[in-house]
Amino acid sequence: SHWWHPVRIEEGKDRLFWTDFFPEGAVFFRAEAIRKVGGYDEVLFQYCEDQDLAFRFTRDGYDLLYCPTLTCGELPFQGNVSRKSARINYLTLRNKIWIAWKHYPLRRAVPYLAGRIMVSAFRSMRHGWLMPYIRAVRDGLFAPASVRSQRRVLDKAVWEKIQRIHRKQYCDVEPRSTGSAIAPTHSLQP
């Protein structure tokens, strides 16, 4: 249920391809890569921390590869859905605004945030989460120094790489010499 890759599930579920997304529960990182980018940002704590980490991997020269043989299961959710949903909506919107603070130039941040803020407003009004919505926008736009100090706008080359990913440039694979693993035969570098 959590397929947010740049290709439709029908065309991507059984093949390796470059992506700019990874699902939290089914991911492997190279130790060197996670050390270089600094791991997850504790300020985000919950929601959108994967997007932040994916941006930092891409920024620092790493590729994200979807592997169809890596699978996981998700336990059913239990609890007070409406109360937790208001909190989830708050954290998700606030953190998306913080992602824009950290990585987006203004000309990309405005369209990225406009739709997300409007959808969240509609959802919040429909479910009675108006105060958490207002707090999310306020806390997001007036990000704390711990977020603002991390601002490192992704450069043009990174955005171009993300655009190539979204144009569905697949990678072909061939077995490595060990025969037990596969490796991409090329990278997304131009």
Side-chain angles (χ1 to χ4, degrees):
S1 66
H2 296 104
W3 185 272
W4 293 301
H5 295 287
V7 298
R8 292 188 348 257
I9 191 169
E10 298 80 25
E11 54 182 302
K13 68 179 179 180
D14 295 324
R15 65 186 305 168
L16 289 169
F17 61 87
W18 302 112
T19 186
D20 62 342
F21 163 79
F22 58 85
E24 287 297 317
V27 64
F28 289 108
F29 300 120
R30 292 181 188 261
E32 166 216 331
I34 201 77
R35 278 192 296 273
K36 182 177 177 185
V37 301
Y40 287 102
D41 183 353
E42 293 179 11
V43 173
L44 294 172
F45 172 64
Q46 188 175 14
Y47 303 107
C48 304
E49 70 278 9
D50 53 341
Q51 184 181 8
D52 175 63
L53 189 57
F55 275 149
R56 289 186 285 127
F57 278 136
T58 305
R59 177 196 69 206
D60 290 350
Y62 295 99
D63 292 326
L64 301 175
L65 185 66
Y66 171 79
C67 178
T69 57
L70 179 63
T71 61
C72 72
E74 187 171 3
L75 298 175
F77 176 78
Q78 295 179 358
N80 185 328
V81 174
S82 64
R83 188 172 49 196
K84 290 185 180 184
S85 294
R87 179 76 176 153
I88 291 168
N89 195 53
Y90 164 82
L91 289 171
T92 301
L93 180 57
R94 183 203 67 187
N95 289 357
K96 285 180 180 182
I97 297 170
W98 286 0
I99 294 292
W101 258 110
K102 292 176 68 173
H103 303 290
Y104 281 71
L106 183 60
R107 67 179 178 79
R108 289 187 183 269
V110 171
Y112 167 78
L113 290 175
R116 286 159 177 83
I117 289 172
M118 289 188 313
V119 167
S120 185
F122 174 76
R123 184 179 300 134
S124 296
M125 287 187 288
R126 189 173 83 196
H127 295 291
W129 307 331
L130 190 56
M131 290 312 297
Y133 167 78
I134 292 169
R135 281 194 311 275
V137 172
R138 180 199 64 210
D139 295 350
L141 293 176
F142 299 102
S146 58
V147 172
R148 292 190 320 269
S149 67
Q150 294 182 53
R151 182 158 174 80
R152 195 166 154 206
V153 174
L154 301 178
D155 64 29
K156 183 179 177 182
V158 172
W159 289 112
E160 288 172 354
K161 182 176 182 178
I162 291 168
Q163 288 171 343
R164 285 193 303 276
I165 289 168
H166 283 261
R167 284 194 303 264
K168 301 178 181 108
Q169 291 184 327
Y170 297 104
C171 72
D172 296 319
V173 294
E174 62 185 37
R176 288 188 184 206
S177 59
T178 62
S180 63
I182 52 178
T185 57
H186 69 283
S187 82
L188 285 174
Q189 301 302 322

